[in-house]
Every structure is written in structure tokens, then in C-alpha cells.
């Protein structure tokens, strides 16, 4: 066992929002509270969550920079989220880079992608493809986005512009995702939330394990080990450990990164609890492997340049 990681940390997945702007329809109270999303009631996070709130949650974790991932900003207002993030006080390193939202099948997707790519903060795109037969548990607007020709044209444009793609899906979509990543070998895909192991039955977890192992064989796919507690509400270190270990085994530390997914993960765990679990499980890795998981992989993929800066200063 190596000592617990104490070096610099990049958090490559979190969200910020100001609900007074009225731009986050998914955070509006439902007509009936039992109409919940897959990770449970959203009531505790139906509040503003800004830079100061994130820093308070992340206190003591040595977070030196973060990547803001699109937070479900309404598609009626394209480009606004990135501009709003630019207006915040980001001197602490929060939202140093952005994964923006562009619905890739929009008729104007190419124009929107060019506008986002022109922003130095924007390094990637996310257009969620997670589809569930129960509408309250589905994030995607269509079941077949990954195979849609117009959507794929948008992904080609994003790739030409040098943008990575954050891939959020459910395990039963991984076979389709395998075809996607094979058809787009020049695209860097980052699989969000370990591939969302939502079905915790033995059959569901076996499906997830097989799909993750197959995706891990594609060199252009990386994984974010994030928000495991969304799908494991009654979690323990013993229940989180095999999921974390399987992600690392499938992708290796050089293609894996720990991330908070706050404030969403805060529905079921504190920031300190999340990172304590990461540090404990990662203590079985070497010091270099731990640095990859907590810092270097995210630094490289999201073009933060912090590792180069640190090296040049020594």
C-alpha cells in the first residue's frame, strides 16, 4: 500500500448554477415530488450553487483547478452558459476549463460549435445520450442519438475543432457506444460517471462490467470515476471499492480520473467522503498512478497545462 495521495487535485467534473436566471428546467420542482430522476429527489440541490459554495464543499482537498461540465442549461439559450461562467470570479481555479453543451443534431450545431471552440476556456462538448424507457429516469431527448446521421455530423464538427466529447450513457447502451467510438477514432471520448451503473442487480452489474471492459479496449476512450453514490445511495467503502477498481483495471490510471460531480453527488455524500473513498482505494496504486488519477490525466485531456507549468518551475 502506498501512502494516501496528498498532492494537487484537479476536479474534472462539477456544476455551477444560478437558479434566478431560469435556465435549468431540470431543477424546477416537479408537479409531484415522486417524479424523481434516477438518483433520487433533487430537492436538496434546488438552490443556487456558485464558486463560493463549491469551494466550501471542497475545502481541505487541495483542489487546484476544476473543469465545469454543462449543467443542463436550457437549449433555448445556446452559448449563454459559457459566457455566464466567464463572468464569474475564477481566480481560485474553479471552472478553469469548460465542457459546454451543444445539441449535436441541431440545424445550427456547426455554428454553435465554432462559437464555443473560439472560447479558450471551452475544451469539450457534452450532449447526453443516456436514455431510459421510464421518462423520469431518461436524460436524452431521443433513444437513438448515437446513430442519428445529423448528430454524428455534429460530432465530426466538434472533433475537427479539437473538442473532446463527454459521453454520458447507461450500460445497456454500451454496445452502441462501442460502434460509435470505433467510427470516430479521432474523437477523444470521456465516459462520465463510470458508465452509470444504475441497475444494481447481479445481471445489471455484470452487463456494466462487460461493457466497461470492452470500452476500455478503445484507445480513444477515458473514464471519469465520479458520482458512484448516485447509483448506490446506501453506499459503503466496500460497495464503492469494486466499482472504482474495475474502472482502473479496464482503463488504467493514464486513462482514468477521479471527479466529484458536485453538487449532484452531495445528494448522497459529502465532498470529503467522496475523496476519502478515492484516496483509500487508490492507496493500492503507485505514487505515479495516484497522480494520474487525481491530477495528470485530467490535466492532459482537458488541456489545463498545469503539469507543464509545475515542471517548468522546478
Amino acid at each position: 500500500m502506498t501512502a494516501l495521495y496528498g498532492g494537487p487535485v484537479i476536479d474534472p467534473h462539477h456544476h455551477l448554477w444560478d437558479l434566478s436566471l431560469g435556465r435549468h428546467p431540470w431543477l424546477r420542482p416537479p408537479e409531484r415530488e415522486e417524479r424523481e430522476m434516477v438518483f433520487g429527489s433533487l430537492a436538496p440541490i434546488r438552490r443556487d450553487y456558485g464558486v463560493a459554495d463549491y469551494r466550501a464543499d471542497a475545502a481541505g482537498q487541495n483542489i487546484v483547478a476544476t473543469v465545469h461540465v454543462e449543467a443542463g442549461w436550457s437549449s433555448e439559450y445556446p452559448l449563454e452558459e459559457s459566457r455566464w461562467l466567464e463572468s464569474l470570479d475564477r481566480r481560485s481555479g474553479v471552472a478553469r476549463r469548460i465542457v459546454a453543451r451543444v445539441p449535436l443534431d441541431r440545424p445550427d450545431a456547426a455554428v454553435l460549435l465554432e462559437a464555443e471552440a473560439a472560447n479558450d476556456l471551452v475544451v469539450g462538448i457534452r450532449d447526453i445520450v443516456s436514455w431510459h424507457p421510464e421518462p423520469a429516469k431518461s436524460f436524452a431527448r431521443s433513444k437513438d442519438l448515437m446513430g442519428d446521421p445529423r448528430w454524428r455530423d455534429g460530432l465530426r464538427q466538434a472533433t475537427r475543432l479539437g473538442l473532446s466529447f463527454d459521453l454520458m450513457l447507461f450500460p445497456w447502451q454500451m454496445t452502441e457506444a462501442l460502434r460509435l467510438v470505433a467510427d470516430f477514432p479521432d474523437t477523444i471520448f470521456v465516459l462520465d460517471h463510470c458508465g452509470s451503473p444504475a441497475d444494481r442487480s447481479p445481471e445489471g452489474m455484470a452487463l456494466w462490467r462487460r461493457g466497461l471492459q470492452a470500452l476500455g479496449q478503445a484507445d480513444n476512450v477515458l473514464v471519469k470515476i465520479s458520482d458512484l453514490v448516485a447509483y448506490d445511495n446506501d453506499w459503503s467503502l466496500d460497495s464503492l471499492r469494486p466499482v472504482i477498481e474495475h474502472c482502473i483495471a479496464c482503463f488504467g490510471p493514464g486513462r482514468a480520473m477521479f471527479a466529484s460531480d458536485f453538487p449532484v453527488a452531495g445528494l448522497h455524500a459529502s465532498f470529503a467522503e467522496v475523496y476519502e473513498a478515492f484516496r483509500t482505494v487508490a492507496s493500492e496504486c503507485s505514487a505515479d498512478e495516484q497522480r494520474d488519477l487525481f491530477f495528470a490525466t485530467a490535466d492532459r485531456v482537458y488541456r489545463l497545462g498545469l503539469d507543464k507549468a509545475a515542471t517548468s518551475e522546478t
Side-chain angles (χ1 to χ4, degrees), residues 150-230:
R150 180 180 288 181
W151 190 89
R152 284 181 161 228
D153 285 344
L155 183 58
R156 287 188 188 91
Q157 176 68 359
T159 303
R160 283 194 293 267
L161 292 167
L163 300 169
S164 62
F165 185 78
D166 264 50
L167 181 62
M168 181 172 161
L169 46 62
F170 286 120
W172 48 84
Q173 298 175 288
M174 286 181 175
T175 299
E176 186 179 3
L178 282 169
R179 293 193 293 268
L180 178 70
V181 302
D183 290 344
F184 287 80
D186 296 328
T187 304
I188 299 301
F189 293 91
V190 183
L191 183 66
D192 288 347
H193 310 325
C194 306
S196 304
D199 181 352
R200 310 300 290 188
S201 70
E203 297 79 13
M205 292 304 291
L207 178 68
W208 169 76
R209 285 192 294 271
R210 290 194 302 271
L212 200 76
Q213 186 173 28
L215 283 170
Q217 294 176 19
D219 292 339
N220 58 328
V221 184
L222 300 94
V223 67
K224 279 182 190 169
I225 304 173
S226 53
D227 204 1
L228 301 177
V229 296

Side-chain angles (χ1 to χ4, degrees), residues 275-287:
Y275 273 82
E276 181 180 5
F278 290 161
R279 286 186 167 89
T280 301
V281 177
S283 66
E284 301 294 332
C285 301
S286 71

